[in-house]
Each structure stands twice: as structure tokens, then as C-alpha cells.
Amino acid sequence: MSTPNKEIVVSGIRSTGNLHLGNYFGALRKFVSIQDDYDCNFFIADLHALTTNPDPDQLHANTKSILAEYLAAGLDPEKSTIFIQSDVPEISEMYLLLNMHVGIGELMRTTSFKDKARKALGIGAPPEGESDEAFEKEIIGATTNKRVNAGLLTYPTLMAVDILIQKASKVPVGKDQLQHLELTRRFARRFNSFYGVDFFPEPTDFEFGGAPVKVPGLDGSGKMGKSEGNCIYLVDEPKVLRKKVMRAVTDEGPQAPNSPMSEPIANLFSLLELTSKPEIVTSFREAYADCSIRYGDLKKQLAEDILAITTPIRERVADILADEDYLASVVRRGAERARERASKTLSEMRHIMGIRKF
Ligand code: TYM
């Protein structure tokens, strides 16, 4: 809620499907825990979701289900401003204005752009140490049926706008978003110095109790993510969830005391650390160190500890989703509040840039 003395926090999640454990531990859990102490603004990034050209009905359904999952996980519309990005048209206008100060080179060098563009073009990463020239040529030469859309390139501008339009100073996100946050600071600094104003604050990552999180997948390597197809969803039924965990990739087991862990096993332990009690983690670590560990037991424990977190959320989601009037009232109020500060920032920004009324 807009409170003058509290620091402003902004964060969002794209509406590309149900929320998974990466979204939960990287973002949503933090959102819920800071609602009393900050001026919190949490939204559903449906415009960002458009960068991957979703089916229209699916986009709407995803936006709605994420809203229900936000509320089921404990986001409280009495404490936080909860809104849908596209309900704040000031964001789209500011996106156009801010783009005038963003370089296409810096956007093309963004890791997430390179990953997504590669996926769109169906090309792999260059071998270690090799230049990305071929990739740049591919993008410029791409044909109409195999193209990288401009929205994907300017994704970081839109994200910077979400943050700067609310003049936020803190942004709770997972590790994968830190580069976007760095760009946001750069764009804010550049705007301030170009116009000789002290207008945008430079937002920082919001961490409490440790470093930014990267929740791994259970398929052996890399992070948990929708495009990686390795997600455990908050709304997964217990049977499905247990099956996913029991199928997690492992290795042949430690061959000697105190062996280093392979990536799949280290990933299982990372998840265990996020979901289980410290004494449970310690006992499995000891069992690994003395080679008595049974991965089946570890997975069973992990599945139950994940379920202890997700079950109350899953059970609330269905009821919330069924109450269309409630959902509509939450986002109507949220948009009103978000637009108050957004319209002020935008009109000041227009003035600074010389777009003024006669
Ligand atoms: P998105 O939708 O990809 O992810 C939403 C949030 O979940 C976090 N996350 C993870 N954290 C740890 N481990 C993982 N495996 C994992 N997977 C996802 C992300 O870090 C993120 O915090 N660009 C953003 C959405 C956005 C936004 C913003 C965020 C748009 N505008 C303004 C903050 C402020 C995104 O794509 O998140």
C-alpha cells in the first residue's frame, strides 16, 4: 500500500504458466514475507509474457492462475498493491520513452536475450571462448518465419520501466534476473545524467538471509524453469509431485568417504536445504560423507518436505480461482493504486524530456 515512509519494493512474475518452486523460492516467498515492512507492489507481467507470442486464451488463463497463486501463497491486497502489468498503460508509454536511451548493442549482449533468441532461431551456444559473431549474423539475416521479435530484445527496457515507474529502491528477484537489474540501474543513471536531474533512484536486489537463490531442476543440471521443462509446480497434485521427485537424476553413489558431489546430487541437496529442517539436511550430508546414503530415502524426504510447503497453497488456489468477482476487485484496486504513482512519474518524465503542453 502506498505509504510515504516505507521503502518502495516492486517485483513481478511473467504469466507463462503455473508458478514453480523456482518462482516460489526466488521471488514469491520473499514477496509474502516483506509485506508488513515495505511499500510493496507486486504484479503479473503479462506484457513480458507476450514476448514469446502465447496463445491469447492461454495468456489470459495464465494471468488469472498466477493471480490466484499469489493470493493463495499469502499476498494480501490489504497490505500490497497487486496488479496486472497491462492494466497500467503508463508502463507502455514510458517503455517507448525509455527506449530512446537504450542501446541495441547492450540489449543484444544480455544473457537472457541471447538464450531466448537462440531458442527462437534453433541455434546452439558457441563453443567456449568463441565469438558470437555468427549469432549476430543469424539474427540480422533471420527470415520472417524464423525471427527474433523486437519485444524480446527490448525486454530489459520494459522491466526497467516496471521498476522505475514506481521509483522502487528494492527488487526481490532470483539470481537469473540480476543482469536485468544491473541494466535498470544503468538506464536510470543514464537518464539522470543526460537530463541533469536526480529523478530515478538506482534500485538494488532485495536479499534477506543470504545470497540470491537459484533453484535447480531435478534433471541433473541447470536451473528449474518453464522452458527447461523440469518444473515442480506449486499446484502439482501429491502423486504427480512425488513421482517427479522420485525420478530425479542421481549418480551411482559416493564411492569413497567425503567424495565431492556430482551436480545432480548437489542439486538435490540445494532443494533439501530450501525445504527441509537443518537437522535433516545435516543427517543426509553425514550419510553422504560416510557413504551410507540411500538416494531413495533422500528423495522421499524431499518430496514430503516440498509437499508440506505446497499443499496449503494448492488447496487454497481452487477456491480463489472460482471467485471471479474477488479476483476482479483485487486487480481493479491494485491497478488504481499502481497508476497513481505511475502517472505522476510519467508526466514528470515527459516534462523532463521536453514533451510539454502548449
Ligand atoms: P520470471 O517470470 O522468469 O520469474 C519470476 C521470478 O522467479 C524467479 N525465478 C527463479 N529464482 C530462483 N531459481 C529459479 N530456478 C527461478 N526461476 C525463476 C525469477 O528470478 C523472478 O524473480 N523478468 C522477470 C519478470 C519481471 C520483473 C519485472 C521482475 C518483469 N518486470 C520487474 C522484477 C521487477 C521474469 O522474467 O521473471
Side-chain angles (χ1 to χ4, degrees):
M1 193 107 37
S2 188
T3 326
N5 299 325
K6 289 182 175 174
E7 269 190 282
I8 302 170
V9 169
V10 164
S11 196
I13 298 182
R14 273 174 307 149
S15 39
T16 46
N18 287 115
L19 299 184
H20 54 77
L21 291 183
N23 300 136
Y24 182 74
F25 289 109
L28 186 53
R29 181 178 64 154
K30 300 184 202 169
F31 300 176
V32 173
S33 72
I34 59 177
Q35 293 182 95
D36 288 321
D37 302 318
Y38 292 85
D39 176 338
C40 287
N41 302 270
F42 300 123
F43 65 96
I44 298 159
D46 59 342
L47 298 177
H48 275 104
L50 282 176
T51 57
T52 44
N53 304 132
D55 168 79
D57 291 336
Q58 195 58 50
L59 176 65
H60 181 70
N62 287 341
T63 302
K64 202 168 137 195
S65 65
I66 293 192
L67 176 62
E69 289 169 40
Y70 270 5
L71 297 166
L75 283 194
D76 180 352
E78 299 301 321
K79 296 179 179 171
S80 297
T81 297
I82 301 169
F83 63 100
I84 296 170
Q85 187 182 31
S86 61
D87 281 343
V88 181
E90 290 80 4
I91 290 175
S92 301
E93 185 178 340
M94 180 169 157
Y95 169 56
L96 182 149
L97 298 183
L98 191 66
N99 257 333
M100 306 304 166
H101 290 278
V102 172
I104 52 173
E106 61 193 338
L107 293 174
M108 279 183 75
R109 287 190 295 273
T110 310
T111 311
S112 63
F113 171 69
K114 288 187 172 188
D115 290 348
K116 291 205 169 108
R118 279 202 175 90
K119 238 171 227 161
L121 295 172
I123 53 172
E128 186 98 0
E130 249 178 55
S131 92
D132 246 358
E133 252 173 63
F135 167 67
E136 282 157 27
K137 271 199 199 129
E138 280 269 5
I139 287 187
I140 291 166
T143 58
T144 37
N145 36 356
K146 224 187 181 194
R147 68 189 180 279
V148 177
N149 76 59
L152 211 50
L153 182 67
T154 53
Y155 184 111
T157 315
L158 183 57
M159 177 157 162
V161 167
D162 295 327
I163 299 165
L164 299 177
I165 205 163
Q166 299 293 340
K167 302 246 180 132
S169 55
K170 291 261 187 304
V171 187
V173 281
K175 209 171 175 177
D176 59 320
Q177 297 297 314
L178 295 183
Q179 193 182 27
H180 290 153
L181 210 46
E182 182 58 48
L183 282 172
T184 302
R185 285 192 286 276
R186 202 198 287 173
F187 300 159
R189 247 187 334 267
R190 186 178 296 159
F191 185 92
N192 289 346
S193 92
F194 186 89
Y195 294 104
V197 290
D198 183 16
F199 188 58
F200 290 123
E202 287 185 36
T204 56
D205 175 34
F206 191 111
E207 282 318 317
F208 59 117
V213 205
K214 176 181 159 191
V215 177
L218 289 180
D219 46 356
S221 68
K223 67 163 187 165
M224 184 176 291
K226 282 167 219 163
S227 43
E228 284 74 11
N230 60 4
C231 293
I232 294 180
Y233 294 102
L234 298 182
V235 294
D236 274 343
E237 291 294 330
K239 222 171 111 189
V240 174
L241 193 146
R242 286 194 185 102
K243 214 170 182 179
K244 285 184 180 175
V245 176
M246 294 314 288
R247 279 212 204 115
V249 173
T250 53
D251 57 19
E252 71 283 11
Q255 304 297 303
N258 303 311
S259 309
M261 272 182 205
S262 65
E263 191 179 352
I265 305 306
N267 286 349
L268 276 174
F269 271 96
S270 300
L271 270 175
L272 198 69
E273 254 158 24
L274 286 166
T275 52
S276 304
K277 295 197 181 89
E279 55 273 25
I280 292 180
V281 183
T282 307
S283 81
F284 279 107
R285 280 203 185 281
E286 285 168 1
Y288 183 86
D290 68 17
C291 304
S292 65
I293 193 160
R294 289 189 344 202
Y295 291 147
D297 294 345
L298 169 66
K299 290 177 180 180
K300 268 190 202 135
Q301 179 76 44
L302 181 60
E304 296 317 306
D305 291 336
I306 294 173
L307 278 169
I309 295 169
T310 59
T311 301
I313 300 175
R314 189 190 71 250
E315 287 176 350
R316 282 192 290 268
V317 164
D319 285 344
I320 297 174
L321 260 183
D323 195 344
E324 301 251 352
D325 290 344
Y326 174 61
L327 291 176
S329 76
V330 167
V331 291
R332 206 169 33 240
R333 262 174 72 196
E336 269 167 30
R337 286 195 218 139
R339 291 191 68 183
E340 266 174 46
R341 202 155 32 208
S343 58
K344 183 168 183 289
T345 306
L346 178 62
S347 74
E348 288 170 3
M349 189 177 173
R350 289 172 62 117
H351 187 85
I352 290 169
M353 294 177 82
I355 303 170
R356 296 175 195 156
K357 292 240 173 336
F358 282 97

